[in-house]
Amino acid sequence: MEDKKKNQEKEPINVKKEIFEWVKIIALAIVIAWVINSFIIANSKVPSGSMEKTIMTGDRIIGSRLSYKFGGEPERGDIVIFDHPIGPGEEETTLVKRIIGLPGETVDIRNNKIYINNSDEPLEEPYLWESMESEDYHFEVPEGCYLMLGDNRNNSADARYWPDPYVPEDKILAKVLFRYFPGIKWLDE
C-alpha cells in the first residue's frame, strides 16, 4: 500500500495530457447537447403573450421533435413549436400555438366561437381563460396543413392575421411537452 502511494506521489502531472482529456470531455458534451437539441428536443423561450394563461411570456418550454416522426399525427389541441412566415416576404419565425384545424377540415369562427366542419356545436376550449372577441372567419384547411391559434385569442397574432394562415406539417418542429421555467408544468395533456 505504501509503495503504491509513493508511486502516485512521484508521477509528475502531464499538463498537456490533462488539458487534452478535459477538451475531449467538453467537446463530447457539446456534441451530445447539439444532437439532443437538434433531433430529440426543442428548447424554446416564449416571446409573447399569445398563449397566456397556458404559457406565459418568458416561460421556457421543452418540445419533443420525435412526437410526430414515428407514426404519430398532430391532433387538435396539441401545442406545437413551428416555423411560419407571419408577415410579408418569406422570412419564417419560430412560433408556439395550439392546433385548431386539421387537414381537410373547414373551420369557422362566428359569434366568437369556433365551429369545425359546419358543426352546430362550438368547439369546447377549456384552455381559454376569457371569451374570444373576434371577427368572423372561414378557413378551409388544405391537406397536409394545420390551422393554429393562440390561447390568448384577444391578444394573439395567429392564423387569423397571417398572409398564409395554414402551416404545412413539415414546418412543425415539435410537440410541446412541458414548461421548465419558472417551475415545471406539463402541457401535453
Side-chain angles (χ1 to χ4, degrees):
M1 179 94 160
E2 204 169 297
D3 290 339
K4 198 175 193 180
K5 202 173 191 181
K6 284 182 184 178
N7 284 344
Q8 286 176 347
E9 289 174 7
K10 290 180 184 179
E11 255 182 57
I13 296 175
N14 184 337
V15 176
K16 287 181 184 180
K17 183 178 178 184
E18 192 70 24
I19 290 172
F20 181 70
E21 291 299 317
W22 276 101
V23 168
K24 282 190 335 191
I25 291 169
I26 292 169
L28 182 60
I30 289 170
V31 168
I32 290 170
W34 178 81
V35 166
I36 289 171
N37 201 44
S38 297
F39 300 105
I40 299 173
I41 66 164
N43 179 9
S44 188
K45 182 177 181 181
V46 178
S48 73
S50 71
M51 287 297 292
E52 291 181 356
K53 301 278 184 184
T54 306
I55 306 171
M56 305 301 284
T57 304
D59 282 1
R60 300 292 305 202
I61 56 176
I62 294 288
S64 169
R65 293 182 186 272
L66 302 177
S67 289
Y68 306 128
K69 296 286 186 211
F70 302 107
E73 293 290 321
E75 297 177 3
R76 185 180 346 277
D78 287 356
I79 300 171
V80 294
I81 301 169
F82 59 98
D83 287 333
H84 194 66
I86 58 173
E90 295 300 313
E91 185 175 335
E92 291 185 338
T93 303
T94 300
L95 301 167
V96 177
K97 304 279 185 219
R98 189 179 296 274
I99 296 174
I100 299 299
L102 302 176
E105 290 185 334
T106 60
V107 178
D108 290 294
I109 299 175
R110 59 180 189 272
N111 301 322
N112 300 315
K113 302 281 186 201
I114 294 177
Y115 297 87
I116 306 295
N117 293 332
N118 299 311
S119 172
D120 293 332
E121 294 296 318
L123 180 66
E124 287 190 35
E125 298 186 282
Y127 39 80
L128 297 181
W129 62 282
E130 68 179 357
S131 298
M132 174 173 52
E133 295 176 18
S134 177
E135 293 179 28
D136 289 354
Y137 292 90
H138 175 76
F139 300 100
E140 295 180 13
V141 185
E143 288 299 328
C145 292
Y146 295 84
L147 183 77
M148 313 291 191
L149 298 177
D151 286 1
N152 187 4
R153 300 278 162 76
N154 299 328
N155 294 296
S156 178
D158 51 35
R160 295 171 291 172
Y161 309 107
W162 301 335
D164 178 2
Y166 309 111
V167 177
E169 185 170 358
D170 65 353
K171 294 295 183 176
I172 297 175
L173 304 175
K175 177 181 178 183
V176 175
L177 300 177
F178 63 92
R179 176 192 72 197
Y180 68 90
F181 179 83
I184 295 176
K185 176 183 175 185
W186 289 96
L187 300 169
D188 71 334
E189 302 166 352

